[in-house]
Amino acid sequence: MTFRKLVLFTVITLVISAGCSTTKNTRVNRSYHNLNAHFNAYFNGKEAFKAGTKKVESANKDNFERILPVVLYSDPNNVSSAFPDMEKAISKASKVIKFHSITAKPKRKKGKLSKRQKEFQAKPEYNKWVDNAYLLMGKSHFYKHDFFQASQNFQYIISVYSKEIISYEATLWLIRTYNEEGKFSDSESLLDQLEGDRKFPKKFNGELNAIYADFHLKQRHYEEAIPRLRKAIDLKGNRKDKIRYRFILAQIYQKYKEYNKASVLYAEVIKMNPPYEMAFNAKINRAEAYSSGSGDVREIKKQLLKMLKDDKNIDYHDQIYFSLANIEQKEGNLKQAIEYYFLSARSSISNTNQQAISYLALADIYFSIPDYPKAQQFYDSTMTFLSSDYPEYEKISEKTKHLNELIENLNIAHLEDSVQKLSKLPSKELDKIIDELIAKVIEQEEKEKELREQQQMDNLLLQQNKVNSFSNQNNNAGGKWYFYNPMTVSNGMADFKRKWGNRKLEDNWRRKNKAIVMSEELANIDSVTGTNNKGNSKSNPKSREYYLQNIPFSDSAFIASNEKLYMAMFNVGRVYKDKLNDYPEAIKSFEKLIAKNDKTDYTITTYYYLYQLNMLENKKDRAAFYKNLLITKFPESQYTKMLTNPNFLEEQEAEKKKVNVFYEQTYVAYLQGNYRKVADNCKIADSLYSNHDLIPKFAFLKALTVGKVTDVSTFKLALKKVTTDFPDTPEKTAASEMLTYLENLKLDSLQNHLASLQFNKENTDSNRVVFEEFVDTSKTNIEIDPTLSQAERLLLEAEKIYKFSQSEQHYYVSIVDNKNLDVNRLRFNISSFNIEVFSFIDFDVSQPIILDGDVQMLTVKSFKDKTEAMAYFRHISVNPIAYGELKTNQYRHFVISATNYPLFYKDKNVEKYITFFTKNYLGE
């Protein structure tokens, strides 16, 4: 190498070295890092972000039955596909910040500085792409729905770059973040601030109004969104956005019955050549808006029927029929409307949203008639397809439950009434009716068999045609595999949906009724166990015994049937009265019950309900009639006392309070160890308040007292009595759990201990403590010396669970109470600590995991062994980045082996593991 080349090489090396440094702030350094940041990491990150946003747009599936959202990123289903791209964008933006940020001040020139030079010296950052990198990182976190990290980035930009235009852009994104989190008061504050800022860049005005519109629509303040959408349409340059905002604005006008304005906007959408689905829905909605206004309804119907004939609209027949049904319903043609709603529901192949609202329209019609059995069927079908985020989902679900309860009880009443009538028929006449039913079953089986055979033939022909078609397509496509030919795949999917509809990918997907599969499985079990139901005539619907078994021929069977009948008839009336608010039907149902039998367990309540209902219906004579029946027939009933004594409820409430106070006194006596008083009070309660709701509590308190003063066997008998006497109560559950604990105890040890206790009033507190300690430890079947300290007890228990190993993989764990501090903020701080102190190690900081109630857990993974984990533990303990703002009693942290980690999560006792950690990790 010549001397000249050596010098040149040395100069180039020095220049590059100088350029790579971020600690010096020179023109060369800035140029190098600006160039590298822009055209390397930032460019790649921005491209990844663009690719991710395109995936979000592609994944979007609008539900045109509702007002469309302004933005596409709110739906988690849309953004999930973009996660890898957003992760890449975050990684690239981080590299810009980490390797190209220049915060060192440039050398100051001699003499007085100009205003421009002073501003340059005061800059927080000298690489002009770092602020863009922070914004890109925030936007990427936003699209991942990691709103905490996103807001941290945006707030940092607003704080550090407050004099730059980018701070306005960051503020707009921060408002978007608050909108997604539902922090609308924070959004509103920032929106007002931006509107009042005279320096706000005009180029962002369209974006500001779009965000304002989103702010209103998310809160369903539709009218307030109208002027914002209009401004966004005028100010935004993006054609796709303009189309979308027009469509949303038209939907809002249609909702508020401003049909002319809606129709004009839908026409504008159609002219702008939107995607086909939006264009189609614009035409449908325009037709409905036009028909609701002053348009020619016959012309609109003609256009819709013409759309049915267009092959492009095959997948949209359900929506066309729905629009036709709406028009007919508005015109009062209910019969034709029902027919179109039926066609809409039946022609829905993949649009379950449309299918749901078509069934809902039918259900609402039949409910309003009212025809409750048909309404129940259609509400039931609605709930099968209705999305849980539908605006009135809970209300519809509740109505469906009420109707299901009504129909269930109507069916029971009808069945019991029918079988009772059959039981009174002569045997020959009964046999004749049963034989007719059997003949219908056989006829139905024959029809189903013929249908299956026909379907098999049709399927064979279809498969043959497909094979021929497939062969031709393969020839035309140059021998490509089936799934490489999109036309073939598309046809196959269409055929599948026409035949099967929407089916989940699961076992037995062909079965519409999974109960059939269960029946087949039961049949297989019978064949293995040697039992065979075919020989059992009672399970064969083609035998007389199958029908005779449910007919009440004996007196006892007839009494049982009557009990079912009366309960069902009463429940029918109660559902009409309390859940459907159909008072006339409720009156009819209760009067039928009284006419059937006025001496049932429901008679008193039925009379009172009839009194109430007739008063509500302003039938005072009938109300007085039922009131007199109550007074004359049931003078001592609660309802009679309510009707005759105006102070009855107040007196009853006073008595209830009296019993509550008495129980509280008894409980206090138990806590004080005055067991004699507890026993006496429980006897008084049994005598005076035997029907009161608090009696189970008195009984349980009595059982606990028995456990304090007697042996284990007597204590167990007392607990068993509670479980027997008071089923379906919390006290029964508590007594059962305590019995389980006692069974798990080492009985000899407990027996000896309790036998040594004497009932001594001066020592009752200590007796109670020792006994409860034994009950507590029984949960883990550990016998522990009561003389040990709490810490010693915990360590013994911990060593039964955890095993120490210093060579295996370890994790760092932080435990906090989310009520006292923001666990997401702590996660951010720990991540910042990792970047600052261990910048070249890619630690994984988990999302917060609920440990118990408000107590949450963060985990940092992973360390090769105990030594690495403890090094991390000591660093984070003294570094202020993670816990600098917290007091030591606000968090607990430790390291734990991979084997012990799931055991700790199962046990959930932090103090117990801390004793193990202190001994094995800190006790060196």
Side-chain angles (χ1 to χ4, degrees):
M1 182 181 289
T2 64
F3 176 75
R4 191 172 180 182
K5 287 182 179 178
L6 182 62
V7 170
L8 182 62
F9 176 76
T10 305
V11 170
I12 292 170
T13 303
L14 289 171
V15 169
I16 292 172
S17 299
C20 288
S21 174
T22 58
T23 57
K24 294 181 180 180
N25 190 344
T26 65
R27 188 185 299 274
V28 173
N29 288 53
R30 292 195 298 273
S31 299
Y32 170 82
H33 284 287
N34 274 322
L35 187 70
N36 241 318
H38 183 201
F39 291 107
N40 192 352
Y42 181 74
F43 175 80
N44 290 328
K46 193 172 181 181
E47 289 302 304
F49 180 78
K50 286 180 183 176
T53 54
K54 283 181 181 177
K55 287 179 181 177
V56 172
E57 289 179 19
S58 300
N60 181 57
K61 179 70 176 173
D62 281 319
N63 180 1
F64 290 94
E65 281 81 40
R66 303 188 207 170
I67 293 175
L68 299 184
V70 172
V71 294
L72 308 181
Y73 47 65
S74 295
D75 188 347
N77 296 321
N78 289 350
V79 299
S80 59
S81 61
F83 276 20
D85 298 296
M86 296 306 164
E87 285 287 1
K88 183 178 178 181
I90 291 167
S91 173
K92 296 297 181 184
S94 300
K95 285 182 179 179
V96 171
I97 297 164
K98 187 172 182 179
F99 297 115
H100 300 292
S101 173
I102 302 174
T103 56
K105 299 296 180 184
K107 284 186 178 180
R108 182 171 174 173
K109 294 181 179 180
K110 293 180 181 180
K112 189 176 181 180
L113 297 178
S114 66
K115 182 180 178 182
R116 186 175 177 185
Q117 287 172 329
K118 286 179 181 178
E119 288 175 354
F120 185 75
Q121 284 285 340
K123 287 181 72 172
E125 174 61 59
Y126 292 90
N127 187 326
K128 62 184 179 182
W129 296 104
V130 168
D131 55 350
N132 297 84
Y134 275 113
L135 185 64
L136 177 62
M137 191 186 294
K139 286 155 66 175
S140 301
H141 280 302
F142 176 87
Y143 267 86
K144 285 182 64 188
H145 283 200
D146 186 353
F147 298 124
F148 175 78
Q149 293 282 13
S151 62
Q152 292 290 313
N153 281 86
F154 301 140
Q155 286 168 354
Y156 177 81
I157 296 167
I158 295 164
S159 171
V160 176
Y161 302 97
S162 57
K163 295 179 180 179
E164 307 289 335
I165 289 179
I166 198 170
S167 67
Y168 289 109
E169 196 173 353
T171 304
L172 290 171
W173 277 99
L174 184 59
I175 297 167
R176 285 187 175 101
T177 306
Y178 288 150
N179 283 348
E180 295 304 311
E181 292 181 293
K183 297 179 180 178
F184 297 116
S185 58
D186 293 335
S187 296
E188 189 169 24
S189 176
L190 288 175
L191 285 165
D192 291 343
Q193 178 185 314
L194 291 181
E195 281 214 308
D197 191 340
R198 293 181 180 179
K199 295 181 181 179
F200 184 75
K202 290 183 179 180
K203 66 178 181 178
F204 293 140
N205 275 332
E207 203 66 44
L208 175 64
N209 280 282
I211 294 169
Y212 233 131
D214 183 48
F215 165 77
H216 288 306
L217 288 178
K218 277 185 165 62
Q219 299 175 82
R220 298 183 185 173
H221 300 160
Y222 299 115
E223 286 184 287
E224 289 90 334
I226 291 173
R228 297 296 175 178
L229 285 167
R230 285 215 167 274
K231 286 182 181 178
I233 290 168
D234 293 337
L235 296 170
K236 280 203 78 173
N238 188 304
R239 181 176 159 277
K240 282 184 182 178
D241 290 341
K242 284 179 178 286
I243 294 172
R244 188 173 189 85
Y245 300 160
R246 276 183 169 83
F247 192 94
I248 295 168
L249 192 56
Q251 286 181 303
I252 296 172
Y253 281 133
Q254 190 171 4
K255 176 181 176 65
Y256 287 103
K257 299 182 180 179
E258 294 190 45
Y259 298 118
N260 290 335
K261 290 181 180 179
S263 184
V264 169
L265 282 163
Y266 283 131
E268 288 177 9
V269 169
I270 295 165
K271 286 179 183 177
M272 294 178 78
N273 195 26
Y276 184 76
E277 190 172 12
M278 181 174 279
F280 172 83
N281 280 279
K283 290 176 183 177
I284 289 289
N285 290 356
R286 185 173 179 240
E288 285 196 40
Y290 193 53
S291 69
S292 300
S294 57
D296 184 349
V297 175
R298 285 178 298 178
E299 184 59 31
I300 298 299
K301 287 182 189 178
K302 187 177 178 182
Q303 288 178 15
L304 289 171
L305 291 169
K306 185 178 179 181
M307 289 171 72
L308 284 171
K309 297 175 183 177
D310 189 338
D311 289 343
K312 287 189 294 184
N313 295 330
I314 288 175
D315 290 337
Y316 301 104
H317 280 188
D318 51 354
Q319 290 173 254
I320 299 170
Y321 282 126
F322 187 78
S323 293
L324 285 165
N326 285 341
I327 293 169
E328 296 293 349
Q329 190 174 9
K330 286 171 189 172
E331 290 190 297
N333 302 328
L334 206 57
K335 186 177 178 182
Q336 186 62 56
I338 289 171
E339 185 178 338
Y340 279 135
Y341 283 132
F342 264 120
L343 288 169
S344 173
R346 286 176 181 173
S347 57
S348 286
I349 297 172
S350 58
N351 189 350
T352 54
N353 291 320
Q354 181 61 61
Q355 199 164 13
I357 64 169
S358 297
Y359 280 130
L360 180 59
L362 285 165
D364 287 341
I365 288 172
Y366 284 115
F367 188 85
S368 64
I369 290 175
D371 184 339
Y372 293 122
K374 284 186 178 179
Q376 181 266 339
Q377 290 174 17
F378 289 114
Y379 278 122
D380 214 37
S381 298
T382 299
M383 293 307 299
T384 302
F385 301 101
L386 194 66
S387 173
S388 59
D389 61 351
Y390 187 79
E392 294 187 329
Y393 181 87
E394 292 300 329
K395 183 179 176 182
I396 297 164
S397 176
E398 196 69 17
K399 188 183 282 189
T400 304
K401 288 175 186 174
H402 298 336
L403 287 170
N404 286 344
E405 186 181 355
L406 174 70
I407 300 307
E408 181 184 353
N409 281 286
L410 281 171
N411 289 340
I412 292 170
H414 178 72
L415 173 65
E416 296 305 326
D417 190 54
S418 299
V419 295
Q420 286 182 18
K421 288 177 181 177
L422 290 173
S423 70
K424 296 173 184 177
L425 292 176
S427 58
K428 287 185 179 180
E429 192 173 341
L430 181 59
D431 288 344
K432 182 181 177 184
I433 292 172
I434 292 174
D435 290 343
E436 288 173 357
L437 289 173
I438 292 170
K440 287 180 181 178
V441 170
I442 294 170
E443 183 183 352
Q444 184 63 30
E445 285 183 352
E446 290 296 326
K447 285 181 179 178
E448 289 176 358
K449 183 180 176 182
E450 290 175 8
L451 183 62
R452 283 196 300 272
E453 290 174 354
Q454 184 61 48
Q455 285 177 339
Q456 287 173 357
M457 290 294 294
D458 291 345
N459 287 339
L460 285 171
L461 289 170
L462 181 64
Q463 291 301 322
Q464 186 60 49
N465 289 335
K466 283 184 178 178
V467 168
N468 295 336
S469 173
F470 178 67
S471 177
N472 292 334
Q473 287 172 1
N474 272 347
N475 291 334
N476 294 333
K480 287 184 179 179
W481 186 42
Y482 173 89
F483 290 104
Y484 291 162
N485 188 330
M487 182 62 73
T488 309
V489 173
S490 177
N491 291 337
M493 287 179 67
D495 288 342
F496 180 89
K497 285 182 178 179
R498 271 192 288 274
K499 181 178 180 182
W500 299 103
N502 288 315
R503 296 292 171 109
K504 287 183 180 179
L505 182 60
E506 60 184 0
D507 291 340
N508 301 303
W509 60 266
R510 292 179 181 84
R511 301 285 193 184
K512 186 175 181 181
N513 184 357
K514 298 295 185 292
I516 296 171
V517 179
M518 184 59 69
S519 299
E520 290 175 353
E521 290 172 358
L522 290 172
N524 292 335
I525 292 169
D526 289 343
S527 66
V528 172
T529 58
T531 57
N532 188 349
N533 282 332
K534 288 183 180 178
N536 184 357
S537 57
K538 288 187 177 180
S539 63
N540 183 0
K542 289 182 281 187
S543 71
R544 287 179 179 174
E545 288 78 5
Y546 176 83
Y547 302 94
L548 291 170
Q549 64 183 332
N550 294 317
I551 299 175
F553 292 110
S554 67
D555 291 342
S556 59
F558 206 89
I559 291 169
S561 176
N562 269 331
E563 287 176 358
K564 292 179 188 177
L565 174 63
Y566 301 147
M567 180 187 288
M569 292 179 75
F570 178 79
N571 285 336
V572 167
R574 184 180 52 78
V575 174
Y576 279 134
K577 170 183 173 287
D578 296 331
K579 299 180 179 180
L580 301 180
N581 298 322
D582 190 337
Y583 300 145
E585 284 296 326
I587 290 171
K588 288 179 189 175
S589 299
F590 286 131
E591 285 181 341
K592 281 182 183 177
L593 175 56
I594 294 298
K596 189 83 174 173
N597 189 347
D598 63 356
K599 294 180 176 62
T600 69
D601 293 340
Y602 308 100
T603 301
I604 297 174
T605 307
T606 302
Y607 281 153
Y608 182 71
Y609 283 171
L610 283 167
Y611 162 78
Q612 279 187 320
L613 289 163
N614 280 290
M615 286 296 288
L616 289 169
E617 289 291 290
N618 202 28
K619 297 178 179 178
K620 294 182 179 178
D621 291 344
R622 293 298 294 170
F625 171 75
Y626 287 112
K627 179 180 178 181
N628 289 332
L629 282 176
L630 271 172
I631 294 169
T632 54
K633 289 188 174 185
F634 307 102
E636 297 302 317
S637 75
Q638 297 278 343
Y639 292 122
T640 301
K641 290 175 182 177
M642 285 170 60
L643 292 173
T644 55
N645 179 4
N647 300 320
F648 176 74
L649 292 176
E650 288 83 353
E651 291 170 2
Q652 196 175 45
E653 187 63 28
E655 184 68 17
K656 186 178 179 181
K657 287 180 180 177
K658 182 180 175 182
V659 182
N660 286 341
V661 170
F662 187 62
Y663 175 74
E664 288 171 9
Q665 292 171 349
T666 308
Y667 184 65
V668 169
Y670 171 79
L671 294 176
Q672 293 174 345
N674 190 350
Y675 302 131
R676 179 65 61 194
K677 184 176 180 180
V678 174
D680 291 342
N681 283 4
C682 288
K683 285 181 183 177
I684 294 170
D686 284 338
S687 173
L688 296 180
Y689 314 120
S690 57
N691 294 321
H692 199 277
D693 293 341
L694 288 177
I695 285 298
K697 293 187 180 296
F698 278 106
F700 185 59
L701 207 54
K702 182 178 178 181
L704 292 179
T705 303
V706 170
K708 298 296 184 183
V709 299
T710 63
D711 56 24
V712 174
S713 58
T714 309
F715 182 33
K716 287 165 72 175
L717 287 172
L719 290 170
K720 285 176 182 175
K721 190 173 190 314
V722 174
T723 63
T724 306
D725 292 350
F726 305 101
D728 303 322
T729 64
E731 290 71 32
K732 185 257 184 187
T733 304
S736 299
E737 288 175 356
M738 193 166 284
L739 279 167
T740 303
Y741 297 158
L742 291 172
E743 293 295 340
N744 290 336
L745 281 169
K746 299 238 177 162
L747 291 181
D748 290 342
S749 172
L750 183 63
Q751 190 75 32
N752 292 335
H753 181 75
L754 289 177
S756 69
L757 293 177
Q758 299 297 322
F759 182 63
N760 183 341
K761 190 172 181 179
E762 293 179 357
N763 195 35
T764 50
D765 285 343
S766 61
N767 290 346
R768 175 172 57 83
V769 172
V770 173
F771 180 81
E772 287 184 353
E773 285 176 350
F774 269 90
V775 172
D776 288 342
T777 58
S778 70
K779 295 177 186 178
T780 51
N781 295 327
I782 300 169
E783 187 176 354
I784 293 176
D785 184 353
T787 63
L788 295 175
S789 69
Q790 179 71 5
E792 289 170 326
R793 284 162 50 80
L794 283 173
L795 181 58
L796 278 174
E797 291 179 15
E799 289 179 335
K800 293 277 187 179
I801 300 172
Y802 305 113
K803 301 296 180 224
F804 176 66
S805 171
Q806 57 181 9
S807 60
E808 74 171 291
Q809 193 179 62
H810 276 65
Y811 308 142
Y812 169 80
V813 174
S814 179
I815 307 289
V816 295
D817 189 334
N818 202 35
K819 285 192 298 186
N820 300 327
L821 57 90
D822 187 346
V823 68
N824 286 307
R825 174 73 190 200
L826 178 59
R827 178 174 180 261
F828 179 78
N829 290 347
I830 292 174
S831 298
S832 300
F833 165 79
N834 292 341
I835 293 169
E836 182 73 22
V837 181
F838 298 95
S839 57
F840 294 100
I841 301 175
D842 189 18
F843 286 124
D844 175 31
V845 183
S846 72
Q847 291 288 341
I849 299 171
I850 295 174
L851 187 66
D852 187 16
D854 291 311
V855 178
Q856 298 197 41
M857 176 170 77
L858 292 171
T859 307
V860 180
K861 297 180 181 180
S862 55
F863 305 92
K864 184 177 75 174
D865 54 21
K866 171 199 166 186
T867 305
E868 282 191 6
M870 285 305 296
Y872 181 91
F873 176 86
R874 291 188 182 97
H875 273 88
I876 200 168
S877 296
V878 297
N879 193 299
I881 295 176
Y883 300 105
E885 299 175 358
L886 304 181
K887 297 177 181 177
T888 53
N889 63 353
Q890 287 185 288
Y891 66 94
R892 307 301 301 272
H893 66 149
F894 48 83
V895 301
I896 188 168
S897 68
T899 302
N900 286 335
Y901 183 79
L903 299 175
F904 167 72
Y905 184 73
K906 183 178 180 183
D907 185 61
K908 300 186 187 301
N909 190 321
V910 179
E911 297 304 324
K912 189 187 294 181
Y913 180 77
I914 289 289
T915 61
F916 179 83
F917 170 74
T918 303
K919 177 186 174 183
N920 293 285
Y921 292 83
L922 299 180
E924 301 168 343

